[in-house]
Amino acid sequence: ETGVTQTPRHLVMGMTNKKSLKCEQHLGHNAMYWYKQSAKKPLELMFVYNFKEQTENNSVPSRFSPECPNSSHLFLHLHTLQPEDSALYLCASSRTPNTEAFFGQGTRLTVV
Amino acid sequence: QKEVEQNSGPLSVPEGAIASLNCTYSDRGSQSFFWYRQYSGKSPELIMSIYSNGDKEDGRFTAQLNKASQYVSLLIRDSQPSDSATYLCAAFNYGGSQGNLIFGKGTKLSVKP
């Protein structure tokens, strides 16, 4: 069992669809993150939650909506996405925001 | 704009050689630094963390930090073909309410048998 688990691993969705990405961590960490990884670009931090409270939102469009019901679970709700939103979406967790972050396997999202 | 810079490569080394990966960061206040390895199609995997000036060794990997020069490096001794991957440097940056982990674009390493 990996420490950070993401589902689904692959997702194809139309621009009018609504879908959600799920992340669960079994490491007892307090901070969880969503990152976006596009080709030829560095990892982009999208959202940070620390003790279930959102602490960072790096100018992410409102078509991405995070939810953190508890310290172990993190969701990313998607609606009316654009083709340029196609990317690898990575969840990560860490004990505190300035310590080692561990990544899930990622969700490869394709918007058609 | 706080940044982490890496040479994108590819860096090619023969099997058994030392691979040297370099990274610079712009925020002098950064305190924590990390190296991740990412195989094609996979997620980043933590290799090393380093918090103070000097060297930190773990098996075949050595991380080096020089805060005065704002420079972090990763040495891989006795490189193996299985080390072929993209290596991401990251620096924790105290900005916003809690700070952010800023990643470089990564250096692609190729170890030739």
Side-chain angles (χ1 to χ4, degrees):
Chain A
E1 180 182 326
T2 58
V4 182
T5 304
Q6 289 185 243
T7 54
R9 297 291 304 277
H10 301 273
L11 178 62
V12 179
M13 59 187 289
M15 289 189 283
T16 58
N17 291 160
K18 287 185 180 181
K19 296 285 184 183
S20 295
L21 309 184
K22 179 183 176 183
C23 177
E24 183 175 359
Q25 58 98 0
H26 306 279
L27 300 170
H29 288 166
N30 299 309
M32 295 188 76
Y33 315 83
W34 282 115
Y35 282 89
K36 175 184 178 183
Q37 189 173 39
S38 306
K40 311 281 187 193
K41 288 186 175 182
L43 275 166
E44 300 171 60
L45 180 65
M46 300 175 72
F47 300 105
V48 180
Y49 279 83
N50 194 26
F51 290 96
K52 302 188 299 177
E53 298 297 321
Q54 184 175 318
T55 58
E56 297 289 338
N57 174 348
N58 285 356
S59 303
V60 179
S62 59
R63 56 186 184 269
F64 296 92
S65 173
E67 178 189 359
C68 187
N70 54 60
S71 292
S72 300
H73 293 86
L74 186 64
F75 296 88
L76 187 63
H77 304 299
L78 316 171
H79 64 99
T80 59
L81 294 192
Q82 304 298 311
E84 60 265 28
D85 296 322
S86 299
L88 180 67
Y89 288 85
L90 290 158
C91 174
S93 72
S94 64
R95 184 171 50 83
T96 60
N98 64 340
T99 56
E100 295 93 339
F102 294 88
F103 286 85
Q105 311 95 315
T107 296
R108 174 68 63 184
L109 174 68
T110 303
V111 182
V112 297
Chain B
Q1 180 75 13
K2 294 170 181 174
E3 294 182 336
V4 173
E5 299 284 345
Q6 294 181 257
N7 187 327
S8 62
L11 173 66
S12 184
V13 300
E15 184 174 356
I18 295 175
S20 178
L21 304 160
N22 305 314
C23 170
T24 58
Y25 58 95
S26 62
D27 181 16
R28 188 168 287 279
S30 295
Q31 295 290 324
S32 311
F33 305 89
F34 308 94
W35 283 99
Y36 288 82
R37 176 176 62 198
Q38 187 173 24
Y39 292 112
S40 181
K42 302 292 186 183
S43 62
E45 172 192 8
L46 180 71
I47 298 176
M48 297 277 287
S49 59
I50 187 165
Y51 300 92
S52 54
N53 278 331
D55 295 0
K56 179 181 177 182
E57 186 175 320
D58 184 0
R60 295 187 296 114
F61 299 97
T62 298
Q64 299 173 317
L65 173 61
N66 183 326
K67 290 186 179 180
S69 301
Q70 295 176 235
Y71 176 90
V72 192
S73 66
L74 180 70
L75 300 177
I76 307 175
R77 288 182 299 283
D78 188 24
S79 295
Q80 301 298 308
S82 58
D83 294 326
S84 298
T86 297
Y87 289 79
L88 305 174
C89 174
F92 182 77
N93 162 317
Y94 286 95
S97 57
Q98 293 284 344
N100 291 331
L101 192 59
I102 306 296
F103 283 84
K105 290 185 180 180
T107 297
K108 188 170 183 179
L109 173 66
S110 177
V111 181
K112 305 293 187 186

